[in-house]
């Protein structure tokens, strides 16, 4: 372990461990009981086994000899997100990109400042090692930035709607954020308008609304590697 209480082997980011990749961080992790009991050399040990042995992963479900692993609590999940994000920042740290300001801007409902912070993080990513070439990779990196900022809110990706829509609450602000991925500049306006129509027509976030609802649509440009267009709709408490 290092001075920050994190497994030292995971700090060797140049090896690109599975759970420190933006997409791998959010994927469900599975092991068999036999794999968990194998006593490998420390430099060859499966990182999922290592994280389980050090308490960073715990058993969430067991079925027919297969174990589904997950983070035991939000604090551990955020710690891993911060580590993952730090590994993929190029020549900058979390303080320099002002990632830790994100929860403050979300709590205050300051959309412009929030988007600016997120873009600062995306532009600082090492794109030779952290690829963002589709909506899934964009979503994973976006959520990684949120949790890496130590956001103390449960973020849920909609299962019955679209995988690119998720929501969370910070103090009295309930956020619904829809991400769009654009490969061409000509798609920016169309995707933004589609997103706005989508969140409004499907009444995202309106169920059991208690506080202020902010529905934000953000369009990511593959070429510019940042969110180039955004718009939002606010709904007051019923």
């Amino acid at each position: 372990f290092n001075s920050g209480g994190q497994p030292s082997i995971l700090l060797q980011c140049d090896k690109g461990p599975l759970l420190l990749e933006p997409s791998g961080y959010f994927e469900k992790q599975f092991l068999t009981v036999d794999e968990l009991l194998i006593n490998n050399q420390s430099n060859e040990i499966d990182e999922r086994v290592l994280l389980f042995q050090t308490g960073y992963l715990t058993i969430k479900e067991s079925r027919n000899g297969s174990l589904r692993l997950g983070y035991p609590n939000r604090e551990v999940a955020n710690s891993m997100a911060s580590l993952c994000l730090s590994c993929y920042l190029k020549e900058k740290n979390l303080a320099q990109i002002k990632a830790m300001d994100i929860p403050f801007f979300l709590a205050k409902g300051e959309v412009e400042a929030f988007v600016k912070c997120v873009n600062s993080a995306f532009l600082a990513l090492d794109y030779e090692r952290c690829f963002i070439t589709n909506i899934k990779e964009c979503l994973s990196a976006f959520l990684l930035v949120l949790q890496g900022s130590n956001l103390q809110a449960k973020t849920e990706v909609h299962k019955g709607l679209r995988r690119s829509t998720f929501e969370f609450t910070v103090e009295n602000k309930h956020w619904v954020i829809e991400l769009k991925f654009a490969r061409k500049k000509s798609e920016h306006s169309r995707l933004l308008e589609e997103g706005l129509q989508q969140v409004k027509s499907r009444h995202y976030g309106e169920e059991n609304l208690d506080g202020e609802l902010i529905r934000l649509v953000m369009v990511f440009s593959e070429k510019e590697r940042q969110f180039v267009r955004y718009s939002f709709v606010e709904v007051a408490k019923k």
Side-chain angles (χ1 to χ4, degrees):
F1 289 82
N2 73 333
S3 59
Q6 296 165 328
S8 298
I9 192 171
L10 293 181
L11 299 179
Q12 300 174 7
C13 305
D14 57 308
K15 297 182 180 179
L18 171 68
L19 293 185
L20 295 187
E21 295 177 2
S23 58
Y25 170 81
F26 294 101
E27 294 292 336
K28 293 180 179 179
Q29 303 300 325
F30 294 91
L31 279 177
T32 66
V33 174
D34 289 340
E35 288 174 322
L36 197 60
L37 296 177
I38 291 176
N39 184 20
N40 292 326
Q41 297 295 324
S42 61
N43 61 344
E44 298 178 356
I45 192 170
D46 187 305
E47 67 188 55
R48 294 167 299 176
V49 175
L50 173 65
L51 289 172
F52 176 78
Q53 292 177 345
T54 54
Y56 277 77
L57 289 177
T58 188
I59 297 174
K60 294 293 186 179
E61 182 181 6
S62 175
R63 182 179 300 176
N64 299 325
S66 178
L67 307 174
R68 180 173 65 85
L69 306 179
Y71 300 113
N73 53 54
R74 190 176 301 153
E75 288 71 22
V76 172
N78 285 355
S79 175
M80 287 297 298
S82 295
L83 175 61
C84 176
L85 183 58
S86 296
C87 285
Y88 282 93
L89 291 178
K90 189 175 183 179
E91 300 176 353
K92 289 189 177 183
N93 56 43
L94 295 178
Q96 289 173 313
I97 65 172
K98 298 184 178 180
M100 297 308 173
D101 291 340
I102 286 177
F104 173 80
F105 293 134
L106 290 172
K108 296 297 182 181
E110 297 184 15
V111 176
E112 182 178 356
F114 165 66
V115 175
K116 185 177 180 179
C117 267
V118 170
N119 275 337
S120 177
F122 270 74
L123 290 171
L125 292 173
D126 183 354
Y127 273 75
E128 292 183 1
R129 299 169 55 239
C130 181
F131 305 105
I132 303 178
T133 59
N134 53 52
I135 185 61
K136 180 180 178 181
E137 293 171 348
C138 180
L139 177 62
S140 293
F142 186 83
L143 291 176
L144 193 65
V145 169
L146 288 187
Q147 292 197 259
S149 71
N150 199 31
L151 179 64
Q152 297 300 311
K154 183 179 181 181
T155 303
E156 294 184 350
V157 178
H158 278 295
K159 295 179 176 61
L161 302 175
R162 293 174 61 91
R163 293 294 296 179
S164 55
T165 306
F166 60 98
E167 61 182 284
F168 53 87
T169 300
V170 183
E171 296 188 10
N172 69 329
K173 302 289 193 301
H174 188 74
W175 290 78
V176 174
I177 301 181
E178 169 71 19
L179 301 187
K180 297 294 184 181
F181 186 88
R183 299 190 184 279
K184 301 177 182 179
K185 185 175 181 179
S186 59
E187 298 175 331
H188 295 176
S189 297
R190 175 180 60 81
L191 289 174
L192 183 65
E193 183 60 30
E194 283 181 3
L196 287 173
Q197 290 298 323
Q198 179 180 321
V199 299
K200 288 189 289 186
S201 65
R202 300 185 184 183
H203 305 285
Y204 287 3
E206 293 183 15
E207 184 178 357
N208 300 320
L209 177 61
D210 184 17
E212 182 182 358
L213 170 63
I214 302 176
R215 295 182 289 201
L216 172 64
V217 179
M218 302 172 65
V219 179
F220 182 84
S221 167
E222 181 181 21
K223 183 178 181 179
E224 297 183 45
R225 299 178 177 179
Q226 62 180 315
F227 292 93
V228 293
R229 297 289 300 275
Y230 71 90
S231 187
F232 63 98
V233 180
E234 292 186 74
V235 179
K237 181 178 179 179
K238 295 180 180 179

